[in-house]
Amino acid sequence: MNKLLLSSFSLLTAFLVTTVGAAAEKPNVIVIMADDLGYGDVSCYGADSFKTPNIDQLAAEGIRFTNGYCSASTCTPTRYSFLTGNYAFRFPGTGIAAPSAPAIIKPDVTTLPSLLQKGGYKTAVIGKWHLGLGGKTGPDWNGELRPGPAEIGFDYHFLLPTTNDRVPQVYVENSRVLNLDPNDPLWVGRKKPSEDHPTGITHRDMLKMDWTHGHNQTIHNGISRIGFYTGGKSARFRDEDLADEWVKQSRKWIGENKDEPFFLFFASHDIHVPRIPHERFQGSSGLGYRGDCIIQLDWCVGEIMKIIDENELAENTMIVFCSDNGPVMDDGYADEALEKLGNHKAGGPFTGGKYSIYEGGTRTPFITRWKGKIQPAVSDKVVCTIDLGTSLANYAGVEIPENALLDSLDVMDALLGDSSATGRDHLVQQGNRSENLSLRVGDWKLLHHRKGQGRNLVVEKLLENTEVPEFQLIDLSKDPAEEHNVMDQHPAKGEELKARLKSIVAGGRTRN
Ligand code: NG6
Ligand code: CA
């Protein structure tokens, strides 16, 4: 090799090392959050009544966490904590949001997307929002829906504004209802707008899916919902098309933003009620629409992987797959989730599901994949969706203000599978609001049910409350199903955890 060739070769190597090195610090990040998906709802976590090949592939190429959590057992508080890094129980008003709720995360709050934006990322949320829109008086459906995602760090949003069992069934793109005809304004409210307004009660025999509790107000697409609305006919979508739309918009947005580091929050509505999969997935699982929606979710994960490959981004993109809370069967519609369940265990080996502070409420599938960076593995480290903020911002080299992301811990080494990683040493799990909290420290877990009532303890039954002691102590190493309260055998440990929980609540923060 002559000198000139040699030196241009080393220049080239130096260039490659720097560019690859620089890119590796700011990987693209896609967080795929499923809705109401339980620990045992996918085949790589033990489901054997049907297969989820794409989610299984993601797990096989990355890390499958056996102690991965979301922070609450309902949607709004988990999403609030994921985006702000704050435990939701510290902030009243972060429980399940009503159809016309104002924006829950205020524009002055530091968020995961706002931090990544500072770090040079392009940011987007595509899918279910359910964190409120608009100022104090709530959303102005015919005008600008601000504040919203755009005011808290998202460059782009394409949303289902609430959750699909709540009105209205319209998309919101960049702070406006999409395809709205000004001559047919959208009205959303709590009271029946006129005596003859058809509802799930007055027109029950015309519904394509019956309701079982609540969900009996305005009818759209043959399904009655929570809340009332009129108008906005040209803007309304079909439930069957949601998953396709999220994929289509993601493909477009990634294609447009692939040259810069990007962060995409892919917020699937599967498998929340009303479970109305696209026609091509109906009957695909053998378990009714709940199972079919899992197959549809799995298809979405496959499409996201394809989009990444089409753009040759696999080695520079970290995918995180998680859920917003555990499973539930009858959540308000007669969709045969229970009747067709068979032997399927949606919560895997755990007790409880959605609404519960037992493990099944918050321990969910949790997978990270970053080809070429993450070595395939199964990890038992404790990680939580609330940690993504601090982990990703630190990794991207963005400074986090001291009074922000109060409970989000840096577990990036665990998310990447470093052998020295420890994961979280403790974690608070909450029910919907702050009424029920549990604290896990190592393998010890304290459950605190303030009113001595646990909800949805047996996922394979109708939703019900079960009487439980106000405080319980569990040794998860011996009793992952949380069947034995060992408070009497280990009173000192019980008191220690009670005091720790109290100080975590009173202390206002857990991030140092
Ligand atoms: C409950 C709804 C339930 C579901 C949940 C929110 C009734 C009777 N039940 O109040 O159907 O919408 O709220 O789910 O209305 S979440 O996953 O978005 O938190
Ligand atoms: Ca949910």
Side-chain angles (χ1 to χ4, degrees):
M1 214 185 272
N2 70 32
K3 258 192 187 165
L4 190 69
L5 244 176
L6 192 70
S7 64
S8 34
F9 180 73
S10 34
L11 257 176
L12 182 71
T13 322
F15 172 75
L16 278 178
V17 167
T18 354
T19 35
V20 171
E25 289 163 14
K26 289 186 183 177
N28 307 312
V29 179
I30 302 179
V31 175
I32 304 173
M33 188 176 275
D35 198 345
D36 298 3
L37 184 78
Y39 189 90
D41 268 331
V42 291
S43 36
C44 56
Y45 279 86
D48 55 12
S49 308
F50 52 84
K51 288 263 170 261
T52 50
N54 294 302
I55 297 168
D56 295 3
Q57 184 191 332
L58 196 74
E61 293 173 353
I63 305 175
R64 184 173 69 82
F65 287 88
T66 56
N67 286 281
Y69 290 87
C70 48
S71 20
S73 59
T74 57
C75 162
T76 305
T78 283
R79 286 159 205 261
Y80 170 84
S81 296
F82 160 55
L83 292 178
T84 64
N86 302 331
Y87 278 142
F89 64 77
R90 302 193 190 288
F91 296 88
T94 52
I96 298 173
S100 279
I104 290 175
I105 305 174
K106 303 286 180 276
D108 56 352
V109 173
T110 301
T111 64
L112 163 57
S114 71
L115 288 169
L116 291 184
Q117 238 176 8
K118 277 199 192 120
Y121 276 72
K122 289 287 172 207
T123 57
V125 50
I126 295 176
K128 163 167 161 174
W129 184 238
H130 209 191
L131 285 164
L133 290 169
K136 269 193 190 132
T137 51
D140 170 10
W141 295 105
N142 300 291
E144 291 239 290
L145 293 159
R146 294 181 194 272
E151 284 67 38
I152 60 161
F154 284 108
D155 294 311
Y156 177 74
H157 62 267
F158 189 99
L159 308 175
L160 161 67
T162 64
T163 187
N164 205 20
D165 57 345
R166 274 140 231 258
V167 298
Q169 278 52 61
V170 297
Y171 295 120
V172 170
E173 186 185 36
N174 288 342
S175 315
R176 281 194 175 271
V177 171
L178 186 68
N179 298 329
L180 189 63
D181 174 359
N183 297 317
D184 179 28
L186 178 61
W187 173 88
V188 180
R190 281 178 186 210
K191 288 201 181 121
K192 202 167 154 161
S194 61
E195 257 320 297
D196 60 352
H197 182 80
T199 69
I201 295 174
T202 61
H203 290 65
R204 194 164 185 176
D205 51 347
M206 287 169 59
L207 300 175
K208 76 174 173 196
M209 182 187 276
D210 200 6
W211 51 273
T212 56
H213 49 267
H215 306 98
N216 52 22
Q217 298 172 332
T218 289
I219 301 170
H220 169 70
N221 194 23
I223 299 153
S224 51
R225 326 261 169 171
I226 299 173
F228 294 99
Y229 72 127
T230 59
K233 288 266 163 34
S234 58
R236 298 190 189 190
F237 57 65
R238 269 182 3 126
D239 308 66
E240 290 84 345
D241 299 327
L242 284 178
D244 282 344
E245 195 65 34
W246 309 145
V247 167
K248 183 176 138 196
Q249 297 302 335
S250 299
R251 179 168 268 120
K252 185 165 169 254
W253 187 81
I254 291 173
E256 288 164 3
N257 291 278
K258 64 177 180 202
D259 297 333
E260 285 157 279
F262 65 78
F263 167 71
L264 170 63
F265 175 22
F266 183 93
S268 168
H269 187 260
D270 292 318
I271 53 177
H272 197 283
V273 297
R275 301 173 183 125
I276 311 287
H278 189 269
E279 284 81 355
R280 71 185 185 281
F281 295 113
Q282 294 179 7
S284 58
S285 69
L287 269 70
Y289 282 179
R290 184 176 185 277
D292 299 347
C293 282
I294 298 177
I295 306 291
Q296 178 169 277
L297 168 72
D298 185 65
W299 173 81
C300 291
V301 173
E303 288 303 297
I304 294 288
M305 290 193 287
K306 261 193 219 160
I307 296 168
I308 291 306
D309 289 343
E310 283 160 16
N311 290 292
E312 297 179 2
L313 295 169
E315 306 228 321
N316 194 25
T317 303
M318 179 171 171
I319 299 180
V320 180
F321 178 81
C322 55
S323 177
D324 72 336
N325 54 252
V328 59
M329 293 302 138
D330 179 352
D331 208 14
Y333 292 96
D335 59 9
E336 299 188 297
L338 266 179
E339 293 83 343
K340 295 197 168 159
L341 191 61
N343 296 324
H344 179 64
K345 285 268 179 210
F350 304 117
T351 295
K354 183 171 181 174
Y355 311 111
S356 156
I357 55 167
Y358 283 82
E359 290 293 285
T362 49
R363 209 195 292 195
T364 53
F366 198 117
I367 299 165
T368 55
R369 187 197 83 164
W370 178 356
K371 277 196 179 169
K373 176 80 177 183
I374 288 178
Q375 293 303 314
V378 176
S379 169
D380 62 1
K381 302 293 174 278
V382 175
V383 295
C384 179
T385 48
I386 198 172
D387 299 324
L388 292 167
T390 294
S391 304
L392 295 170
N394 278 350
Y395 198 73
V398 186
E399 201 182 320
I400 304 172
E402 199 192 327
N403 282 323
L405 281 67
L406 303 171
D407 302 291
S408 175
L409 307 187
D410 190 336
V411 295
M412 195 64 180
D413 52 357
L415 299 176
L416 296 177
D418 291 356
S419 54
S420 58
T422 56
R424 273 185 163 265
D425 66 331
H426 74 283
L427 175 68
V428 177
Q429 297 148 255
Q430 76 169 80
N432 183 32
R433 296 189 190 86
S434 55
E435 70 285 22
N436 297 331
L437 296 177
S438 67
L439 169 65
R440 176 174 176 179
V441 181
D443 281 328
W444 289 105
K445 179 172 172 186
L446 176 79
L447 293 118
H448 183 197
H449 290 93
R450 266 205 221 163
K451 293 185 181 143
Q453 295 278 310
R455 191 156 174 75
N456 196 19
L457 254 60
V458 185
V459 173
E460 294 78 17
K461 279 188 13 193
L462 287 176
L463 261 187
E464 60 177 20
N465 289 338
T466 308
E467 254 180 65
V468 293
E470 185 186 353
F471 286 103
Q472 295 179 78
L473 182 68
I474 304 291
D475 180 353
L476 288 173
S477 70
K478 299 191 184 115
D479 182 21
E482 298 169 279
E483 287 165 335
H484 308 287
N485 176 14
V486 295
M487 192 64 98
D488 289 346
Q489 290 89 309
H490 300 274
K493 187 48 82 178
E495 290 311 313
E496 181 193 319
L497 262 64
K498 277 189 204 172
R500 179 105 187 252
L501 180 57
K502 220 173 174 181
S503 89
I504 289 174
V505 173
R509 66 182 300 149
T510 49
R511 183 172 73 87
N512 289 326

